[in-house]
């Protein structure tokens, strides 16, 4: 009897384990940043390079993935507070953020560039920091574009910074003449310029950066797991294939 009972118990535990849903990881992003994260017009789902890399990592590790759309500057505090499992948002690894969160290995690079109207007198990024310069610069609140222009332009008295909730709002301010340029990551910049006639990207690059996923300092096992999966997905070409799908080769 005892034996039968323990077999039944063991069996029912097996069934329960099989039926139990996989653990869900919650990814915080800001879905106004194509091609890394944005809403698909048809499905209204968040798609993009980050969404697909995160899905590939979760599939490999046996997690469900849930993506939540929040303001960019609430991602790091939310991850730090344990509200989200990780943040992934074309996010640059910076000294300052490393004080609050851990970063995964980098999976892509980005460049801060300057978007201007086609007939702008601003000809290079350096014009923004020139002696006597006084431009109105649009950025996304809490991004590296915000950080660097604050140091280089606002703190030196060479212009003013207008901060917007996301890239789309910053570009809207540019097309309506409220700011003279927008400093933002290069791939989103290309998307915004393609969608808004009359804008161009200056040839001169402002700064090169590394993108990575951010994690709470309290979940080092998860960070290590994700790094393991990421390494494999980079080695087998999956990450590059996802990037190539969203960033067609130029020429
Ligand atoms: N790469 C920039 C940063 O980390 C911008 C990211 C974003 O706007 N999603 O600050």
């Amino acid at each position: 009897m005892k034996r039968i009972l323990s077999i039944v118990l063991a069996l029912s535990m097996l069934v329960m384990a099989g039926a139990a849903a996989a653990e869900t990881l919650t990814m915080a992003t800001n879905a106004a940043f194509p091609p890394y994260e944005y809403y698909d017009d048809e499905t209204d789902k968040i798609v993009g390079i980050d969404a697909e890399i995160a899905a590939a990592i979760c599939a490999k590790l046996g997690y469900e993935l849930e993506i939540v759309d929040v303001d960019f500057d609430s991602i790091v505090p939310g991850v730090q507070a344990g509200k989200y499992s990780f943040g992934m948002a074309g996010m640059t690894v910076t000294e300052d953020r490393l004080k609050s969160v851990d970063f995964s290995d980098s999976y892509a690079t980005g460049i801060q560039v300057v978007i201007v109207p086609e007939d702008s007198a601003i000809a290079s990024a350096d014009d923004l920091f020139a002696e006597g310069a006084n431009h109105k610069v649009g950025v996304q609140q809490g991004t590296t574009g915000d950080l660097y222009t604050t140091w280089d332009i606002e703190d030196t008295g060479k212009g003013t910074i207008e901060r917007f909730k996301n890239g789309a709002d910053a570009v809207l301010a540019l097309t309506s003449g409220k700011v003279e340029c927008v400093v933002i990551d290069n791939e989103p910049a290309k998307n915004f310029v393609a969608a808004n006639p009359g804008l161009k990207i200056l040839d001169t690059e402002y700064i090169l950066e590394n993108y990575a996923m951010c994690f709470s300092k309290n979940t080092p096992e998860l960070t290590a797991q994700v790094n393991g999966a990421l390494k494999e997905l980079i080695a087998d070409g999956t990450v590059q294939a996802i990037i190539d799908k969203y960033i067609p080769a130029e020429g």
Side-chain angles (χ1 to χ4, degrees):
M1 185 64 199
K2 212 169 160 194
R3 180 101 156 265
I4 294 174
L5 201 71
S6 62
I7 291 172
V8 168
L9 213 72
L11 272 176
S12 58
M13 275 166 71
L14 260 177
V15 169
M16 271 161 59
E23 193 187 331
T24 298
L25 295 187
T26 306
M27 159 177 157
T29 196
N30 177 242
F33 203 64
Y36 296 98
E37 39 268 329
Y38 60 99
Y39 286 92
D40 182 280
D41 283 341
E42 273 156 34
T43 63
D44 214 33
K45 279 209 169 106
I46 297 173
V47 295
I49 293 171
D50 290 345
E52 285 207 28
I53 293 176
I57 290 170
C58 286
K60 203 177 242 312
L61 297 173
Y63 292 114
E64 298 282 343
L65 174 65
E66 183 198 10
I67 303 180
V68 294
D69 184 15
V70 301
D71 287 341
F72 183 80
D73 61 1
S74 70
I75 297 174
V76 166
V79 166
Q80 189 181 16
K83 218 165 137 186
Y84 317 116
S85 316
F86 64 93
M88 191 173 192
M91 186 180 284
T92 307
V93 180
T94 68
E95 289 299 319
D96 204 47
R97 289 174 187 155
L98 278 166
K99 289 180 199 153
S100 317
V101 287
D102 285 342
F103 277 96
S104 69
D105 296 337
S106 179
Y107 61 89
T109 53
I111 303 164
Q112 293 298 308
V113 296
V114 186
I115 310 178
V116 293
E118 264 162 8
D119 60 358
S120 174
I122 303 168
S124 81
D126 290 342
D127 287 356
L128 301 175
F129 330 120
E131 236 16 89
N134 188 16
H135 297 291
K136 226 183 202 172
V137 181
V139 298
Q140 309 177 87
Q141 170 106 23
T143 62
T144 49
D146 181 359
L147 187 72
Y148 300 136
T149 55
T150 300
W151 288 342
D152 293 344
I153 298 171
E154 195 170 69
D155 293 353
T156 59
K158 288 176 181 160
T160 49
I161 313 297
E162 295 264 343
R163 298 173 179 85
F164 299 91
K165 281 235 174 289
N166 58 52
D169 287 353
V171 171
L172 192 64
L174 181 60
T175 53
S176 61
K178 290 197 188 97
V179 296
E180 297 170 61
C181 65
V182 166
V183 174
I184 193 165
D185 304 51
N186 59 325
E187 291 303 331
K190 284 189 211 161
N191 274 264
F192 288 127
V193 166
N196 293 278
L199 300 181
K200 66 174 183 188
I201 300 171
L202 296 181
D203 290 336
T204 50
E205 294 165 356
Y206 187 3
I207 198 156
L208 179 73
E209 318 186 303
N210 285 314
Y211 292 166
M213 305 158 79
C214 69
F215 292 85
S216 160
K217 289 183 184 288
N218 296 325
T219 58
E221 311 78 14
L222 179 62
T223 314
Q225 255 188 345
V226 165
N227 271 334
L230 187 57
K231 213 169 240 138
E232 288 177 34
L233 292 166
I234 290 172
D236 72 9
T238 305
V239 166
Q240 193 56 50
I242 293 170
I243 292 173
D244 290 346
K245 174 176 160 192
Y246 285 95
I247 306 179
E250 272 150 81

